[in-house]
Amino acid sequence: MAKNENTVMHERNIQSISTKQNYAKTFVKIGVYAFLMLMALIVLFPFYWMISSSLKSLSEYKLNVPTLWPKTIVLRNYAEAFTTANLGRLFANTAYVGIVSTLLSLVITVLSAFAFARLEFKGKNAMFAALLATMMIPGELFTITNYATINEFGWMNTFKVLIFPFLVSVFYIYLLRQNFMQIPNELYLAAKVDGCPDLKYLWKVMIPLALPTLISITILKMMGAWNSYVWPNLVANKKELQMITNGLRNSFTDAAGSVNYPVQMAAVAIVSAPLFLVFVFLRKYIMSGVSRSGIKG
Amino acid sequence: MVDSKHQWKAWLYLSPAIVLLLVFTVWPIINTVRMAFMDGYNGLAIIGGAEFEFGIANFQRVLGLSSFKNSLYNTMLLCVLTVPISTLLALLIAVALNSIKWLQKGLQTIFFLPYVTNSIAIGMVFAAMFNIVGNMGTDGNDIIITAGIINNILGVFGIEPINWINAGSAYWANITVMVVYIVWNALPFKILVLLGGLQSINKQYYEAAKVDSTPRWRVFTRITVPLLSPMIAYVVITGFIGGFKEYSSIVGIFGEDMGPAGAPGRLNTIVGYIYDALPKMNYGVASAAALILFGIIFVVTMINMQVSKKRVHY
């Protein structure tokens, strides 16, 4: 049974159209990948350059035509960075401020979120709305008066000033309250009937159930201490109190022109390393907090 | 079931937060407004027993100062340049990422990487990349030892070394470096939000377009962008709010001087201007500047919301 000539022609046409479409598709796909790869390279380049530079000798860094990877790897830069910027001290200061403020902040946030989520009191909704409204105000507006306030308290150049003024985060209270609200109220009422005290219920039921949010808050708060620059720079810039970012910025600014760039890059790499580890192992916790707020630490 | 025992407990639990918020959040709001409207309010003068009159002199003074106008101009310029560029780039990257399967997760991780960095530290890396080691700023007698990797890369395309950030550098060169750094820094958050939005678009729209064999460009402009518009509006608004508070990225590259050697303060921003006033205890002027900043952010956000109302599909 020979096929009708018309049908054969028609099939051929369809075939050629679909091959053409396939070509176009592959072409577009290659373009998409090329674009993404190029952008990925641009995004990664500063990290690569940081590591590559941090391993070069100063003379190799200053070559007219740069080498893409150090000919001789100078690990000594890292040791030198540690002493030049006094990184040990800066680590200790930052860890102290970070841990104390994170613990206090967690206690305050949990208690407030619990009150807003489970307890009934007059003016609850009005107060919660007022809290959320303060989130719209730029932080710089608070900074001016807080600067004057801590001056009055005599807190200038103490650790207190790095811990207390920004301890309460309305956003974290909001985040945790939403999480607590999802836990069925029946559990709380059942616990009440059994005579379980509030704090025990909070500790045994609410906190374990809201653990992912609490971990997110901890990570963001610790990262906040690690990356804080502006406020410490204003109020606690003495060597004994300096936070890591302030120390990093100020250790290499003097003696313009004679900066030892590889050592500087080594210091930057050391400061970036913990953030990188957090990113690799705890990314999902950061992302869940981040995508809802757009805040950085 | 409001009983008095519960009420008492709730306030107890809330008390640490309330005390801290009263001192460090509520009082500042009141006090900053108060100081802004007291003519020439200064922390040092008040120790000397000076009294201040109510008025708007602080605002007049701030708006008349060339240093503030300069900061305002820099801030606006950086905002107007970086927000559209970063939003558009993030949109392209997110759409591209959403259209592939192979390597999608890996690339997504790479694009999110700049988010968890320290903006001062990585600013120093960018500064090193643009920095010329040598003796610059001597007009014509500049000695270049190494031109910096960015100039080296541009050199491959036959472009002469540009003085980006060193002494004697041009304003546009400084701004270009800042735009590159700020966009690099802003991309991860925008990509994250936009990609999340794209993944929640109902696939049926695209299948319908496929049946009608709609061209790619029309699919992008008629389906993707409209359905993604709430997310786009969100990243634009947060981008503007963040942009008006630009400060530490400039410190990262140019240091506390906020400008290249020989031209300190050239790249100062509104926030930088406020911080400069604090050690001198010029609280009145700083408060006025902060309120102006708040006003600008408020107005821009309102305009954005109005535009979104007309253009955004919910």
Side-chain angles (χ1 to χ4, degrees):
Chain A
M1 273 231 276
K3 271 185 185 171
N4 185 320
E5 207 154 280
N6 261 339
T7 331
V8 175
M9 285 278 282
H10 189 63
E11 272 174 7
R12 260 190 212 145
N13 263 340
I14 288 176
Q15 255 175 11
S16 79
I17 286 170
S18 68
T19 21
K20 251 185 206 164
Q21 270 179 343
N22 275 339
Y23 278 138
K25 236 184 200 165
T26 331
F27 192 72
V28 168
K29 201 150 239 179
I30 291 171
V32 166
Y33 272 104
F35 168 69
L36 284 174
M37 291 296 176
L38 179 72
M39 293 314 293
L41 269 182
I42 293 172
V43 165
L44 285 178
F45 190 81
F47 298 111
Y48 151 71
W49 195 245
M50 167 182 81
I51 293 165
S52 159
S53 304
S54 73
L55 294 168
K56 286 176 180 175
S57 66
L58 185 57
S59 56
E60 189 178 348
Y61 182 87
K62 285 184 174 172
L63 285 180
N64 197 9
V65 181
T67 47
L68 289 179
W69 191 250
K71 274 179 271 179
T72 46
I73 288 183
V74 188
L75 280 172
R76 209 188 47 238
N77 288 335
Y78 281 81
E80 209 173 305
F82 221 88
T83 47
T84 310
N86 199 8
L87 285 179
R89 181 69 207 232
L90 297 174
F91 266 112
N93 287 347
T94 311
Y96 176 72
V97 170
I99 290 169
V100 172
S101 57
T102 303
L103 287 179
L104 289 175
S105 165
L106 280 177
V107 172
I108 295 172
T109 308
V110 166
L111 289 177
S112 319
F114 179 70
F116 279 122
R118 279 289 169 269
L119 302 178
E120 293 295 334
F121 55 95
K122 255 184 208 154
K124 179 166 101 165
N125 291 332
M127 196 165 136
F128 194 64
L131 279 190
L132 290 185
T134 63
M135 279 171 63
M136 297 201 316
I137 296 166
E140 288 67 30
L141 219 140
F142 305 127
T143 308
I144 303 164
T145 297
N146 285 343
Y147 186 88
T149 305
I150 60 130
N151 235 337
E152 214 140 289
F153 287 0
W155 281 10
M156 204 57 102
N157 284 314
T158 59
F159 276 123
K160 277 180 276 184
V161 81
L162 297 176
I163 294 170
F164 287 105
F166 300 101
L167 197 54
V168 184
S169 160
V170 173
F171 174 66
Y172 295 154
I173 295 177
Y174 166 77
L175 209 61
L176 196 60
R177 173 196 177 255
Q178 299 304 90
N179 209 311
F180 280 171
M181 302 269 271
Q182 286 166 1
I183 299 168
N185 209 10
E186 284 73 20
L187 277 178
Y188 179 58
L189 296 177
K192 281 261 119 179
V193 169
D194 291 347
C196 176
D198 272 355
L199 284 182
K200 195 176 170 197
Y201 172 78
L202 192 59
W203 184 249
K204 294 269 174 183
V205 180
M206 299 273 255
I207 288 181
L209 284 174
L211 203 58
T213 307
L214 292 171
I215 295 175
S216 292
I217 294 174
T218 305
I219 296 169
L220 289 175
K221 195 82 190 156
M222 291 298 272
M223 276 173 53
W226 193 258
N227 291 335
S228 67
Y229 174 81
V230 173
W231 179 247
N233 194 44
L234 279 172
V235 295
N237 216 3
K238 277 203 329 204
K239 275 261 178 298
E240 308 87 271
L241 300 169
Q242 244 175 10
M243 301 281 277
I244 193 110
T245 309
N246 303 80
L248 176 72
R249 179 71 258 186
N250 295 333
S251 301
F252 297 97
T253 40
D254 34 48
S258 62
V259 181
N260 189 336
Y261 294 100
V263 172
Q264 189 191 25
M265 286 301 109
V268 170
I270 294 172
V271 172
S272 302
L275 293 170
F276 189 75
L277 289 179
V278 166
F279 174 74
V280 170
F281 293 109
L282 303 166
R283 194 177 49 224
K284 66 170 184 181
Y285 293 110
I286 310 172
M287 284 166 100
S288 71
V290 156
S291 50
R292 275 177 281 183
S293 70
I295 55 156
K296 197 166 185 173
Chain B
M1 5 169 261
V2 180
D3 60 57
S4 57
K5 197 181 148 217
H6 267 101
Q7 294 244 349
W8 175 81
K9 248 189 203 155
W11 291 110
L12 179 71
Y13 292 160
L14 282 172
S15 59
I18 290 176
V19 169
L20 283 168
L21 285 171
L22 279 179
V23 177
F24 294 113
T25 304
V26 178
W27 166 239
I29 296 172
I30 301 164
N31 190 40
T32 304
V33 175
R34 184 184 74 102
M35 292 192 298
F37 287 102
M38 287 171 88
D39 293 350
Y41 190 95
N42 183 294
L44 288 172
I46 209 153
I47 298 167
E51 285 184 13
F52 306 98
E53 275 178 41
F54 177 86
I56 54 163
N58 289 326
F59 291 91
Q60 288 169 328
R61 187 143 167 257
V62 164
L63 290 172
L65 285 173
S66 63
S67 55
F68 181 79
K69 277 189 245 172
N70 178 38
S71 307
L72 190 64
Y73 177 76
N74 287 334
T75 314
M76 297 248 186
L77 184 64
L78 286 175
C79 255
V80 168
L81 289 172
T82 57
V83 174
I85 295 176
S86 60
T87 307
L88 197 67
L89 258 183
L91 183 62
L92 287 176
I93 292 173
V95 169
L97 267 180
N98 195 40
S99 74
I100 61 167
K101 280 203 186 80
W102 183 64
L103 278 184
Q104 194 200 35
K105 280 272 169 288
L107 283 165
Q108 209 180 322
T109 310
I110 290 174
F111 286 121
F112 191 56
L113 195 55
Y115 194 84
V116 285
T117 52
N118 181 315
S119 60
I120 301 279
I122 300 299
M124 288 162 79
V125 178
F126 270 77
M129 282 163 38
F130 283 98
N131 186 34
I132 296 176
V133 179
N135 194 3
M136 301 299 290
T138 45
D139 248 341
N141 300 316
D142 301 336
I143 302 160
I144 295 177
I145 296 171
T146 178
I149 185 67
I150 299 293
N151 275 332
N152 292 141
I153 292 171
L154 292 177
V156 174
F157 302 101
I159 298 167
E160 288 289 306
I162 294 165
N163 186 352
W164 294 107
I165 57 170
N166 295 81
S169 52
Y171 178 72
W172 67 263
N174 300 160
I175 289 289
T176 309
V177 174
M178 284 324 305
V179 169
V180 170
Y181 181 42
I182 294 169
V183 168
W184 184 88
N185 231 331
L187 279 180
F189 172 68
K190 293 195 166 80
I191 294 173
L192 182 75
V193 172
L194 293 176
L195 190 61
L198 280 172
Q199 282 165 348
S200 64
I201 291 180
N202 194 335
K203 295 278 176 296
Q204 282 180 347
Y205 291 109
Y206 290 105
E207 269 148 29
K210 214 178 203 173
V211 170
D212 295 345
S213 62
T214 319
R216 267 167 189 275
W217 179 247
R218 273 181 75 86
V219 172
F220 180 73
T221 54
R222 294 296 164 93
I223 297 178
T224 307
V225 171
L227 287 174
L228 202 58
S229 51
M231 300 296 169
I232 296 175
Y234 177 62
V235 296
V236 167
I237 291 173
T238 51
F240 268 111
I241 292 174
F244 277 110
K245 299 203 274 180
E246 207 59 71
Y247 175 67
S248 55
S249 56
I250 297 163
V251 176
I253 288 182
F254 289 97
E256 280 283 294
D257 283 344
M258 301 295 276
R266 188 206 259 173
L267 294 170
N268 208 359
T269 58
I270 304 179
V271 171
Y273 181 86
I274 295 170
Y275 291 145
D276 286 345
L278 291 187
K280 292 170 240 155
M281 295 201 178
N282 273 327
Y283 298 144
V285 172
S287 302
L291 286 184
I292 292 171
L293 173 68
F294 177 59
I296 293 172
I297 290 178
F298 189 76
V299 168
V300 169
T301 308
M302 285 300 135
I303 292 173
N304 269 319
M305 301 250 250
Q306 279 304 317
V307 174
S308 316
K309 240 185 215 165
K310 281 188 194 140
R311 294 286 170 97
V312 169
H313 294 242
Y314 286 104

